[in-house]
Structure formats: C-alpha cells, structure tokens
Amino acid sequence: YPVKLKVTTPCGIDSTIQNITLTGAPFPVGVSGILSVCQGDSTQITISGANTCNWSPSAGLSSSTSSIVTITPSASTVYTITGIASNGCPYSLSVPITLNPLPAIALNAPAFVCEGSVFTMNAGGANNYNWSGNGLLSDTTSIVSASISSLTSFSVMGTDSIGCTALKTRNVNVWLLPVLIVTPDTSVCYGDSV
C-alpha cells in the first residue's frame, strides 16, 4: 500500500510516498490434534506456521515452549499460545482441551454359585461392554451367563459414547456339590448290631 507522509514546519511543507507491504494476512499459524481426551489419557497438539511458541498455563504440558506438545490434563483447560509466526508477526491463539470423565461401571454378580450351575451377571454405566473370564457363555452384552467349577475372576470393560473406557472386576466363589457315598446292602439277623 502506498503511504504518503506530509510534514508541515515553519519553513514550509514537504511530503514523501512510501510503499508498505502487509505480511500478517492471512493468519499463518494453525493448530492440529485431538482437543478432547479421556481422564488419565494424553493428547498431542501441533502448532504449525510459528517460529516460537509460549504456552500458558504450563500445567499438564510436556513442554511450554515447543510447537509439538503432549498434554495430560487434570481438568478441562484453555491454553493460550503466543509467539512469533513464520511471517515475523506476533500471534496469539487459544486451544481449549476438554477432559472427559471415565464411565462409572457397575457390575452385579453373585458372590457364590453352585458348582456347574449357570448364572447371570449384568453391567451398567456404559454403551458397550466386553467381558473376560473363564466359563463365560457370552461376552459382548450388558447381561451375560457363565458356568464355573472353581473360584473365578470376571472383568467387564465398558465404553461410553465418547469412547472413554473403564474396567470393573468381581470374584465369584463356588459351592461344591455334596458327594453321596452309597455302601452295599448289608443283612443282619434280628437283634444283632451293625
């Protein structure tokens, strides 16, 4: 853009024209990465088009001055990044990181079952379930059946609509079936003892 500078003094008026080039548009700095994370997990955020980066606050960051940062948040946080862009101009941008809680999984299972019997267990608090443990007759629904002959540990992994997962585990004990011992028939005379 041509800019005209006009100077007026007691000695007269003088002016000059100077061309000025604007380098700040379009905005060269970009953000990439997953902005939503499950509790306990991390996410990697990349700042592109910047010569320098200064992150604030620094809590949960692998680095507060890098363009590639791993974030392990303890709460939802809006990070502010400032610095010098690749075109030499200062920049400032905000990156909101959302921390999603884990699903609260409930697992209902009997404490004791009879040896060899078929029993049911059910889970709640999530959208999808994946069970593990010996003796399962099904393993991908909220209600499953099982049959065991000894103490067994069952686990269910629940996944919510966001994709966050949580694990719940229960032990099921076994009552052993009674063992009946039948002896051969015995004959005795009237009045005798056995």
Side-chain angles (χ1 to χ4, degrees), residues 105-109 121 123 130-133 152-158 166-172:
I105 304 299
L107 195 170
N108 297 311
M121 300 178 289
N130 190 9
W131 296 76
S132 62
T152 303
S153 179
F154 292 97
S155 297
V156 59
M157 179 75 75
L167 182 71
K168 203 77 170 183
T169 300
R170 287 285 184 274
N171 291 328
V172 179

Side-chain angles (χ1 to χ4, degrees), residues 27-36 43-50 53 55 66-69 71 79-82 91-97:
F27 190 64
V29 179
V31 178
S32 61
I34 299 174
L35 304 182
S36 180
T43 183
Q44 183 173 281
I45 302 298
T46 300
I47 306 298
S48 58
C53 298
W55 293 71
S66 176
S67 61
I68 302 177
V69 171
I71 303 177
Y79 292 93
T80 299
I81 304 99
T82 59
Y91 72 90
S92 177
L93 54 84
S94 296
V95 177
I97 301 296

Side-chain angles (χ1 to χ4, degrees), residues 85-182:
S86 56
N87 60 9
C89 295
Y91 72 90
S92 177
L93 54 84
S94 296
V95 177
I97 301 296
T98 301
L99 181 66
N100 300 301
L102 301 182
I105 304 299
L107 195 170
N108 297 311
F112 286 88
V113 296
C114 293
E115 180 185 10
S117 65
V118 176
F119 61 96
T120 61
M121 300 178 289
N122 64 82
N127 294 70
N128 298 292
Y129 303 92
N130 190 9
W131 296 76
S132 62
N134 293 330
L136 284 168
L137 304 179
S138 58
D139 60 5
T140 57
T141 60
S142 61
I143 301 175
V144 296
S145 299
S147 180
I148 58 177
S149 58
S150 61
L151 172 66
T152 303
S153 179
F154 292 97
S155 297
V156 59
M157 179 75 75
T159 305
D160 63 16
S161 59
I162 301 174
C164 296
T165 61
L167 182 71
K168 203 77 170 183
T169 300
R170 287 285 184 274
N171 291 328
V172 179
N173 290 277
V174 172
W175 279 315
L176 298 178
L177 297 177
V179 178
L180 300 179
I181 301 175
V182 179

